[in-house]
């Protein structure tokens, strides 16, 4: 990951000394990207309407808790941090509050309105029929 960036710096003639991130970087990447890693658990939890920050945290700890790079939070700045990861940058604590909400990708109301009002494809109009979309007229002040 960072090796490629560093090689690009050298190619571009930037005065750069290569940094060896060692195997710590690999361990952290594996933890994020493995089949039940942080990203997979975040994606899975985001699909369940009743998922909570607490259920996300519990799944992370259950799936990753035995890994040597997955640690108890050690933040001096965030006393509410839920876990920490030890990697090339040291020990970094993370707070998962609102991660599920932030991971949702809502469709912009303007886009929905365009799909509903200008599409010549009946299926598209049908799929978005229950979505409020963007109001066609501006609200009037009383």
């Amino acid at each position: 990951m960072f090796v490629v960036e560093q090689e690009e710096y050298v190619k571009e003639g930037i005065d750069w000394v290569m940094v060896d991130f060692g195997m710590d970087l690999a361990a952290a990447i594996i933890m994020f990207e493995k089949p039940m890693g942080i990203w997979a658990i975040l994606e899975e939890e985001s699909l369940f309407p009743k998922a909570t920050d607490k259920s996300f945290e519990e799944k992370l700890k259950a799936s990753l808790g035995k890994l040597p790079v997955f640690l108890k939070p050690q933040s001096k700045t965030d006393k509410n941090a839920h876990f920490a990861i030890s990697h090339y940058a040291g020990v970094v604590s993370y707070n998962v509050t609102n991660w599920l909400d932030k991971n949702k990708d809502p469709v912009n109301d303007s886009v929905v309105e365009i799909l509903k009002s200008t599409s010549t494809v009946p299926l598209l109009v049908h799929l978005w029929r229950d979505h409020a979309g963007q109001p066609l007229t501006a609200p009037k002040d009383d």
Side-chain angles (χ1 to χ4, degrees):
M1 178 164 104
F2 295 116
V3 173
V4 174
E5 293 295 324
Q6 293 184 88
E7 289 171 351
E8 191 65 29
Y9 297 160
V10 173
K11 283 182 197 172
E12 292 177 6
I14 296 171
D15 186 20
W16 184 261
V17 176
M18 295 293 278
V19 177
D20 181 7
F21 293 105
M23 293 309 292
D24 288 343
L25 180 61
I29 290 171
I30 289 167
M31 182 182 55
F32 275 89
E33 296 179 351
K34 71 183 213 150
M36 275 310 283
I38 292 175
W39 300 145
I41 295 169
L42 177 61
E43 187 65 25
E44 179 181 279
E45 284 290 285
S46 295
L47 296 174
F48 292 103
K50 293 188 179 193
T52 63
D53 293 338
K54 187 69 177 162
S55 66
F56 175 53
E57 175 191 2
E58 288 169 356
K59 280 191 178 181
L60 287 174
K61 289 178 177 176
S63 179
L64 306 170
K66 294 192 188 310
L67 294 175
V69 295
F70 191 87
L71 308 170
K72 291 183 179 182
Q74 302 173 21
S75 177
K76 291 182 172 93
T77 58
D78 185 357
K79 299 297 180 197
N80 297 316
H82 297 98
F83 66 92
I85 297 173
S86 174
H87 53 64
Y88 66 92
V91 175
V92 180
S93 294
Y94 294 88
N95 181 326
V96 300
T97 303
N98 293 323
W99 278 24
L100 297 177
D101 290 334
K102 292 175 187 175
N103 194 50
K104 292 179 181 162
D105 191 14
V107 178
N108 184 293
D109 288 344
S110 308
V111 173
V112 172
E113 192 54 49
I114 289 169
L115 289 170
K116 287 170 56 173
S117 63
T118 63
S119 178
T120 58
V121 180
L123 178 60
L124 275 179
V125 175
H126 178 75
L127 289 173
W128 294 104
R129 72 185 181 283
D130 294 332
H131 191 287
Q134 181 76 25
L136 295 175
T137 58
K140 295 180 182 174
D141 293 334
D142 290 331

